[in-house]
């Protein structure tokens, strides 16, 4: 079994398939190659001539397509895992209304796979083992989701605590007479630079909007 092939570099992906089809062609040996097809097809097209789809067809003798898990099922799994964490940390503050307000804009956009759920829940449980009595559950889940799903946005939040909490340091960007729309423009200009998607040179505006929406719900003053 060779798993997570789509996590390799483009050149490494090609090397794996070359290895399996030439060097490692042993008798009585079958290879199960596990990968995201769309990512692998694009990677192969960038490192060789021809269609990545055609390349795979020559190598994969029996393709098995696994359908994406539906979002309602993902949410159900996530909620079940979070409920288990809550039961272990009864001293953490939990407000149902706050959770409902924070979940959709701050957590749900970052949950796309089972892997995302595992990473989020493991990180949340690790943090709560040290600070459960000092934090709000919805806030720690939302901030952790941002940290994992959008690391650059999380780092921006760490560097701009005053902006988020209202201790006055937001005025270091300029005069106190700025209107809220002007501040929003300033923050957008900063985030568009630091939130590049994958290897692109410029962030997608949707990333910026997501970061601003998420931070606005976690930090009411900023909102």
């Amino acid at each position: 079994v060779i798993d997570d092939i789509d996590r390799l570099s483009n050149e490494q992906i090609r090397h794996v398939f070359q290895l399996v089809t030439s060097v490692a062609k042993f008798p009585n040996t079958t290879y199960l190659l596990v990968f995201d097809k769309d990512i692998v097809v694009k990677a192969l097209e960038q490192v060789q001539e021809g269609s990545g789809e055609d390349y795979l067809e020559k190598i994969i003798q029996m393709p098995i397509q696994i359908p994406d898990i539906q979002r309602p099922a993902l949410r159900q799994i996530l909620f079940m895992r979070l409920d288990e964490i809550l039961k272990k940390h009864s001293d953490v503050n939990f407000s149902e209304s706050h959770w409902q307000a924070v979940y959709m804009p701050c957590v749900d956009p970052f949950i796309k796979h089972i892997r995302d759920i595992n990473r989020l829940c493991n990180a949340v449980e690790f943090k709560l083992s040290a600070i459960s009595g000092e934090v709000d559950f919805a806030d720690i889940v939302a901030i952790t989701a941002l940290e994992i799903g959008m690391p650059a946005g999380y780092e921006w939040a760490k560097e701009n605590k005053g902006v988020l909490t209202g201790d006055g340091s937001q005025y270091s960007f300029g005069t106190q007479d700025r209107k809220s729309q002007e501040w929003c423009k300033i923050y957008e200009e900063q985030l568009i630079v630091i939130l590049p998607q994958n290897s692109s040179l410029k962030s997608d505006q949707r990333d910026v909007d997501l970061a601003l929406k998420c931070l606005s719900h976690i930090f009411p003053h900023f909102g």
Side-chain angles (χ1 to χ4, degrees):
V1 179
I2 306 178
D3 198 0
D4 290 334
I5 296 175
D6 49 280
R7 291 190 170 197
L8 301 174
S9 68
N10 295 348
E11 195 65 42
Q12 288 172 333
I13 288 175
R14 182 173 66 171
H15 287 163
V16 168
F17 290 119
Q18 290 174 336
L19 172 71
V20 171
T21 56
S22 57
V23 181
K25 209 168 187 178
F26 305 123
N28 302 315
T29 304
T30 300
Y31 291 92
L32 175 62
L33 309 176
V34 187
F35 53 86
D36 185 313
K37 183 180 178 182
D38 292 338
I39 295 176
V40 168
V41 166
K42 292 178 182 177
L44 291 172
E45 289 176 348
Q46 293 180 21
V47 294
Q48 62 156 21
E49 295 181 2
S51 166
E53 189 87 37
D54 293 342
Y55 185 93
L56 280 183
E57 286 183 2
K58 296 176 183 177
I59 296 174
I60 307 299
Q61 297 174 331
M62 192 177 85
I64 302 174
Q65 297 279 0
I66 300 177
D68 292 334
I69 187 170
Q70 298 299 306
R71 185 155 288 277
L74 268 180
R75 289 170 179 159
Q76 185 176 9
I77 295 170
L78 173 63
F79 296 159
M80 180 180 66
R81 290 284 305 277
L82 292 176
D83 282 343
E84 292 174 355
I85 294 174
L86 262 177
K87 291 177 182 177
K88 294 179 183 177
H89 301 277
S90 57
D91 57 337
V92 68
N93 181 52
F94 177 76
S95 165
E96 182 70 33
S97 60
H98 184 48
W99 169 251
Q100 291 179 358
V102 164
Y103 173 74
M104 287 304 294
C106 305
V107 181
D108 195 71
F110 298 114
I111 302 299
K112 299 175 182 175
H113 309 285
I114 294 292
R115 186 185 296 124
D116 298 330
I117 294 177
N118 291 333
R119 293 179 67 195
L120 175 63
C121 291
N122 290 340
V124 168
E125 187 158 18
F126 176 76
K127 292 178 180 180
L128 289 180
S129 65
I131 58 172
S132 60
E134 306 172 34
V135 295
D136 178 87
F137 185 76
D139 285 342
I140 201 68
V141 174
I143 291 173
T144 305
L146 179 68
E147 178 184 9
I148 295 173
M150 191 178 284
Y154 176 78
E155 289 301 319
W156 184 90
K158 284 173 59 178
E159 295 170 2
N160 293 277
K161 296 175 184 177
V163 171
L164 300 174
T165 59
D167 69 355
S169 61
Q170 70 264 35
Y171 299 126
S172 61
F173 291 122
T175 173
Q176 297 186 20
D177 296 331
R178 293 186 188 275
K179 297 179 180 179
S180 59
Q181 294 88 343
E182 293 177 299
W183 285 119
C184 186
K185 187 67 176 177
I186 290 174
Y187 304 143
E188 284 185 342
E189 291 173 351
Q190 292 179 3
L191 291 168
I192 200 79
V193 174
I194 67 169
L195 296 178
Q197 191 175 35
N198 298 327
S199 59
S200 62
L201 297 178
K202 191 174 182 180
S203 303
D204 191 307
Q205 182 62 40
R206 290 172 296 183
D207 293 337
V208 175
D209 293 341
L210 174 58
L212 289 174
K213 189 175 183 179
C214 180
L215 291 171
S216 295
H217 280 80
I218 300 175
F219 301 96
H221 172 83
F222 184 70

